[in-house]
């Protein structure tokens, strides 16, 4: 972010002016923060359909029941807890309308992003370990399609709030 130098006494105490309200609005508008919910739905619908189709087809192709394998391993349960924590942080940032470009500037946002990063890595590793015997080399495709489907759906739903 580029800072403008202003005469001393106008702006910050060091003679610089961080942002104006107009610049903040332009930045928010360019990040998609003010998109209409139907625009978000229309633009993300192909992503939701394709990722959902990949998940359903892989489950059908491998004939793995959705929930019967869930009770088989503690690895899966720790991955689910991490994934739910990741979803919680995502919804917090979406519903609070936090600008993702400035996440390092606020302590609470920085901590939320660090928690989300750790839980994402943990859940990805546990899901890869758990689903690898079932899907083989298609495991990354399945897990990433599942993540894309869930978070795209959540972003569409949260755009209505």
């Amino acid at each position: 972010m580029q800072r403008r130098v202003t005469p001393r006494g106008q702006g910050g105490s060091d003679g610089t002016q961080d942002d104006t309200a107009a610049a903040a609005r332009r930045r928010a508008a360019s990040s998609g923060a003010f998109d209409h919910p139907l625009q978000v739905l229309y633009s993300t619908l192909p992503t939701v359909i394709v990722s959902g189709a990949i998940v359903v087809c892989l489950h059908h192709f491998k004939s793995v029941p959705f929930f019967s394998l869930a009770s088989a391993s503690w690895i899966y349960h720790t991955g689910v807890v991490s994934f739910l924590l990741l979803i919680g942080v995502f919804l917090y940032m979406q519903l609070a309308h936090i600008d993702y470009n400035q996440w390092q500037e606020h302590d609470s946002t920085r901590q939320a992003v660090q928690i989300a990063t750790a839980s994402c890595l943990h859940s990805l590793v546990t899901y890869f370990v758990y689903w690898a015997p079932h899907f083989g080399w298609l495991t990354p495709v399945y897990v990433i399609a599942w993540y894309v489907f869930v978070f795209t759906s959540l972003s569409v739903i949260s755009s209505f709030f």
Side-chain angles (χ1 to χ4, degrees):
M1 179 168 72
Q2 190 174 10
R3 299 174 82 167
R4 285 189 310 195
V5 177
T6 59
R8 191 159 297 277
Q10 298 175 356
S13 61
D14 61 350
T16 61
Q17 182 178 357
D18 287 331
D19 286 323
T20 62
R25 281 194 301 273
R26 279 194 307 274
R27 205 172 41 253
S30 68
S31 69
F34 296 123
D35 286 345
H36 192 274
L38 294 178
Q39 287 176 322
V40 173
L41 177 65
Y42 180 71
S43 66
T44 58
L45 193 60
T47 306
V48 171
I49 290 171
V50 168
S51 60
I54 290 171
V55 169
V56 170
C57 287
L58 280 177
H59 261 290
H60 180 70
F61 174 68
K62 289 293 188 174
S63 64
V64 177
F66 271 103
F67 297 108
S68 68
L69 297 173
S71 62
S73 175
W74 62 272
I75 293 175
Y76 182 79
H77 293 296
T78 60
V80 168
V81 170
S82 293
F83 189 64
L84 291 175
L85 182 63
L86 178 62
I87 287 173
V89 171
F90 178 78
L91 287 176
Y92 161 72
M93 293 183 77
Q94 284 290 107
L95 296 176
H97 301 291
I98 295 174
D99 187 10
Y100 294 109
N101 295 330
Q102 298 177 354
W103 67 271
Q104 293 178 336
E105 294 179 12
H106 306 288
D107 288 336
S108 62
T109 309
R110 184 174 37 242
Q111 290 170 351
V113 168
Q114 291 169 350
I115 290 169
T117 302
S119 63
C120 180
L121 291 175
H122 179 263
S123 63
L124 279 173
V125 169
T126 56
Y127 285 157
F128 284 156
V129 168
Y130 182 75
W131 289 112
H134 304 288
F135 293 109
W137 62 275
L138 291 174
T139 302
V141 174
Y142 173 74
V143 172
I144 291 171
W146 189 245
Y147 272 64
V148 168
F149 177 76
V150 168
F151 287 106
T152 306
S153 300
L154 286 174
S155 68
V156 168
I157 292 168
S158 66
S159 70
F160 285 96
F161 297 103

